[in-house]
Structures are given as structure tokens and as C-alpha cells.
Amino acid sequence: MNAKTLNRNSMIEGSLWNKILGFAFPLALTGILQQMFSAADLAVVGNFTEDLGAACMAAVGANTPIMSFIINGFLGISLGTNVVIANAVGRKDDETIEKAVHTSLIVAVICGIITALIGQLIAEPLLRSQNISAESVDMAIMYFRIYVGGLPVILIYNFEAAIFRGIGNTKLPFIALVISGIINIGLNIFFVLVLHMNVDGVAIATVISNLISSVILIICLKTSKTAARFDRKKLKVDKPVLKRIMKIGVPASIQSCVFSSANIIIQSAINGLGTIVAAASSAAFNLEIFSYYVLNSFGQACTTFTGQNYGAWKLDRCKKSLRLCLLEGIIIEGIMVATLLICGRNMLSIFTQDPALIEIGYVRVLFITTAHLFSLFYDVMSGYMRGFGISLSPALVTMCCICGIRIFWIYVIFEKFHTFTSIMAVYPVSLGVNALAILILLLIKRPARKLNSKLNDN
């Protein structure tokens, strides 16, 4: 076997259930740890900036949906990298893997630089349009400028992680994140407690930690013995591979951006309810996102397992991957949701000791984590279709169901019932409708059955 050849038997042969768990767990832990380190940012400014605590938390929280809009947009494109590489692994196509690696890294660098420059220009008008309270708005703008300035290294890490997911390795991105995350916490404490900085300190710490994780992964790619090896001399954009990445990634990116746009509108409505509500919502987000990363890990597992087995033309294993990702995801996600509901108030006290703020935050945890069970279904089913290269139709369905409902809700329902609870109710409604719509789409598409029929006809 070629020394550069990947271990292709990991996903296309043998038992699936344990391999899906082995893939999903490090991926979920990566997301959870990433959020824990972000939560550490919030906990540090919430507890160690004296009277500015709530204002700092609100400033960081106001940036969350905006940064999600930017980063998730590019994560959508990185899904294209994931699928193209996974398909190539199944086909034993080392040349395509090599081209996809170098093309993706160039895309990450160029997109990161351009977006960072644009971000500096729009920072102030963008943040001032978000109904952020007077005591938080200037800090929110400062946090945004620093964070968006670090986008090149943030995107490089995320595209590197997508490369590793495509070849079936979720452990190395996890290890890189552990190392950089520990450094991030240390820098948070140093900048805020020693240098007496506030949101600027935690933003700088975040950028530095992302730089470290991206360097670790590029070293791993450079020393890799697989076809995914990075070689600076081979850095160039391969147009056919880029076209395939974009065909899958752009619809997913547009979906993420529209999805995040709806959440920005929701965040603006939350900001309008005052600093305490905005701070509580920000703290709760740092808990509920743990649940999201668990369900998302099974969606990404379904994409990669389906992608590799589709590349190897093992369509029965594609269908089995879907069933197992749903089953295992329901069990693990159920445990996570139960844990957050039972321990939510105690976990919120990490960020603040204000009882009113904790109770408001728990309302968000209650509504959104239970709604994540709907998210699991549509994430896994969408991931299954993307593994076959079907990206546009799931994106369109999600945009119509989730984004359409949320925008309508804020401008119609929230205007009549002007409370935090009325905002939170949109999550189970929109996610439930979307899960049903994606199921109907999957029953219409049936990619494995249609490909089998085409094969039998030939």
C-alpha cells in the first residue's frame, strides 16, 4: 500500500456503531471545550471586572450572534472540504485529497484576511444598530474589532479541522484545542486580573489561543504520512476541486448565514429588554451550546461516514450510518439535555450570583435545550444528504422553516407579547417544523435507494 495512503478501512469496513461514537465523541468534546473556554471568557469578565461585570457580559453576548454569522458562514464552506475529502477517501483518490487540502487552506487564508478588513470598517455602525445598552456598546465594538482581526487564524483552524474530519480523524483537532484552550484561560486571567483589562483582554486571549491551535494542526498536516500531508510547495488552488467544494459548501454557508441573521434579529430583540436580560441570555447561551455541539457531532459524523461509504459505493452502509447516528444521537443528546435541565441553575451561578439573572438565564436553557432534540433529527438527516453531495435543497428548507418563522415571530408575535419568554418560544416551534420538513425532503430524495436503482438498471 502507498505510504501516503490513508487508513481507509476505518469507515467503509467493519462495525459502524463504535466507530461513529469514536468519531462523534472527540468532535463533541472539541466543541464543548471550545465553548467552555468561551464561557471562561464570560466568567472572568463577569466576576472580575467589578461594577462593569454585567455590562461586560452583555458586550460579549451581543457579539455572539454576529461572530456566529461570520464564522458559521465559513464553516459551511468547510463542510464542502469535509465531503470532498471523505468521498475521495472512499474512492481511494489520493490526488483529490491532496488538492483539496491545499485549496482549502488557501481559501481559509484569503477569506480570513478579506473578512477581517471588512469587519474593521463595519464594526461601529453594525454594533450600534443592535440596541446594545449605552454602558456596553463601546466595549462590544472593541471586542468585535479585536476578534474579527483574528479571523485569518480562526478560519485556518476550522478548515484544518474539516480536513481531519474528512479523513476520519477528530482526535487531533481535539488535542490542539485542549492545549490552546488551557493557554486561553491562563491569558484571560493574566489580562483581566493582572493587567486590569476587560473585554479587550479576553478577546486578545481568544485570538492568541486560535493562533496556537492552527499552528499545531498545520504542523500535524505537515508531518502527516497520509495523502492529506501539507506541503508549502504544493499550495495552489485547483479549480475543479474548488468548484466541488463550493457546490456543497456554498449552500451550507448561505444557510448558516441566513440562520445567523435571524439570530441577530432575535439578539437585537433581547438587547432591547435591558442589560440584565442580555447578560442572562449570554450566560445561558454558554450552557445550551454544549447540547448543540453534541447533536452537531452526530450530524457531522453522518456526513463523513456517508461521504466515505458513498465514495466506496457502499450504499447500505450509508443508510446504516444514518440510522445509527440518529439512535446514538438521541441517547447521548437526551443525557445532555437532562443534565442541563437538572444542573442549569447551578451552572449559571458560575457566571453570576444575581438570582434574577440566573432565573432569566434558566428560561433560555429550558426552552432551547429541549428544542435541540428536534435539531438532532434535522442535523443528522441533512448531514446524510450532504454526504451524497445534496446540499442546496436541505439549505433552502432550513432557511424557509427556521429563518422565516423566527423573523416572523420577532416582528409579529414578540410585538404583541413583549417578554423574554415569548422570544424563547420561537426555538421549539421553528426547530420542530424544520425537523418535519427535512424528514419529508429525505423521503422524497432517498439518495441511496435511487442510486441503487440506477446501478441495477445499468
Side-chain angles (χ1 to χ4, degrees):
M1 183 178 290
N2 189 315
K4 295 174 71 178
T5 302
L6 300 166
N7 178 11
R8 300 184 177 95
N9 294 330
S10 60
M11 292 187 180
I12 63 176
E13 293 182 3
S15 174
L16 278 171
W17 71 269
N18 56 331
K19 292 175 182 176
I20 288 172
L21 288 176
F23 181 95
F25 267 130
L27 190 58
L29 288 174
T30 299
I32 288 171
L33 276 177
Q34 201 165 24
Q35 195 56 40
M36 286 179 69
F37 298 138
S38 295
D41 293 355
L42 206 64
V44 169
V45 296
N47 288 289
F48 301 110
T49 53
E50 299 177 352
D51 295 339
L52 291 174
C56 288
M57 289 176 67
V60 175
N63 272 282
T64 299
I66 299 172
M67 298 313 305
S68 294
F69 173 88
I70 296 171
I71 293 174
N72 288 342
F74 291 111
L75 285 179
I77 296 175
S78 76
L79 273 175
T81 294
N82 185 354
V83 173
V84 168
I85 291 177
N87 289 165
V89 170
R91 295 194 310 271
K92 304 183 180 181
D93 184 356
D94 289 351
E95 183 180 356
T96 295
I97 297 170
E98 183 180 281
K99 290 177 179 177
V101 167
H102 294 89
T103 297
S104 298
L105 291 175
I106 292 174
V107 169
V109 172
I110 293 174
C111 290
I113 292 172
I114 292 173
T115 310
L117 292 174
I118 294 173
Q120 299 303 322
L121 296 175
I122 67 171
E124 186 162 350
L126 177 62
L127 271 297
R128 291 195 185 279
S129 70
Q130 294 303 302
N131 290 329
I132 302 171
S133 62
E135 62 263 40
S136 300
V137 67
D138 288 335
M139 289 188 290
I141 293 169
M142 178 170 56
Y143 182 91
F144 179 87
R145 288 189 183 281
I146 297 170
Y147 198 111
V148 82
L151 272 178
V153 294
I154 293 171
L155 295 189
I156 289 171
Y157 168 79
N158 283 298
F159 272 81
E160 288 167 339
I163 290 167
F164 280 106
R165 285 197 304 272
I167 63 175
N169 186 338
T170 54
K171 294 181 178 64
L172 280 176
F174 170 68
I175 293 169
L177 188 69
V178 170
I179 295 170
S180 64
I182 292 171
I183 294 171
N184 182 36
I185 292 175
L187 290 174
N188 280 341
I189 295 171
F190 175 74
F191 288 140
V192 176
L193 269 69
V194 178
L195 299 184
H196 305 292
M197 302 170 74
N198 46 65
V199 297
D200 52 344
V202 297
I204 292 170
T206 298
V207 172
I208 293 173
S209 65
N210 274 278
L211 172 62
I212 292 168
S213 60
S214 65
V215 169
I216 292 172
L217 288 189
I218 203 68
I219 291 172
C220 292
L221 287 174
K222 195 170 183 178
T223 57
S224 174
K225 302 301 181 182
T226 73
R229 180 185 176 90
F230 169 74
D231 184 344
R232 185 171 55 84
K233 296 177 181 178
K234 296 180 180 179
L235 267 177
K236 65 177 183 179
V237 174
D238 183 86
K239 291 183 180 178
V241 168
L242 177 62
K243 185 177 180 180
R244 290 164 59 191
I245 290 173
M246 292 300 178
K247 182 181 178 181
I248 298 166
V250 169
S253 175
I254 293 172
Q255 172 189 323
S256 295
C257 288
V258 176
F259 190 100
S260 296
S261 296
N263 287 340
I264 290 173
I265 294 171
I266 291 175
Q267 183 64 47
S268 181
I270 292 171
N271 293 338
L273 294 175
T275 300
I276 296 298
V277 173
S281 179
S282 179
F285 174 83
N286 282 275
L287 298 186
E288 85 204 21
I289 201 69
F290 295 161
S291 168
Y292 170 76
Y293 282 124
V294 170
L295 71 90
N296 182 254
S297 70
F298 285 97
Q300 296 203 39
C302 197
T303 295
T304 305
F305 275 78
T306 301
Q308 286 201 15
N309 283 286
Y310 171 46
W313 208 256
K314 296 190 175 184
L315 302 179
D316 286 342
R317 287 177 67 84
C318 293
K319 292 188 288 186
K320 189 174 181 181
S321 295
L322 170 64
R323 292 193 296 269
L324 286 173
C325 284
L326 283 172
L327 177 61
E328 294 174 6
I330 289 169
I331 295 171
I332 304 300
E333 179 67 11
I335 294 171
M336 174 60 76
V337 170
T339 301
L340 289 173
L341 292 180
I342 294 169
C343 305
R345 288 185 176 87
N346 291 331
M347 295 172 76
L348 285 167
S349 67
I350 296 171
F351 304 101
T352 179
Q353 300 301 312
D354 187 334
L357 197 149
I358 290 172
E359 286 305 312
I360 294 169
Y362 188 75
V363 170
R364 177 166 181 141
V365 172
L366 176 64
F367 272 93
I368 296 183
T369 55
T370 52
H372 276 168
L373 293 171
F374 293 126
S375 296
L376 172 69
F377 280 91
Y378 87 73
D379 228 46
V380 171
M381 291 185 291
S382 295
Y384 174 73
M385 286 185 276
R386 286 197 186 101
F388 285 101
I390 303 169
S391 184
L392 180 59
S393 49
L396 291 174
V397 168
T398 298
M399 284 189 286
C400 292
C401 292
I402 290 186
C403 304
I405 290 173
R406 290 183 182 180
I407 292 171
F408 168 82
W409 195 277
I410 292 301
Y411 288 114
V412 178
I413 306 299
F414 177 63
E415 287 299 313
K416 294 182 179 179
F417 304 97
H418 206 71
T419 65
F420 185 62
T421 302
S422 71
I423 296 176
M424 292 299 103
V426 72
Y427 287 97
V429 172
S430 59
L431 294 174
V433 170
N434 191 58
L436 178 60
I438 290 291
L439 173 61
I440 294 170
L441 177 65
L442 178 59
L443 294 175
I444 293 170
K445 291 287 185 181
R446 292 185 180 272
R449 175 178 292 187
K450 289 181 179 179
L451 287 168
N452 258 327
S453 299
K454 186 182 293 186
L455 179 66
N456 293 333
D457 289 343
N458 293 334

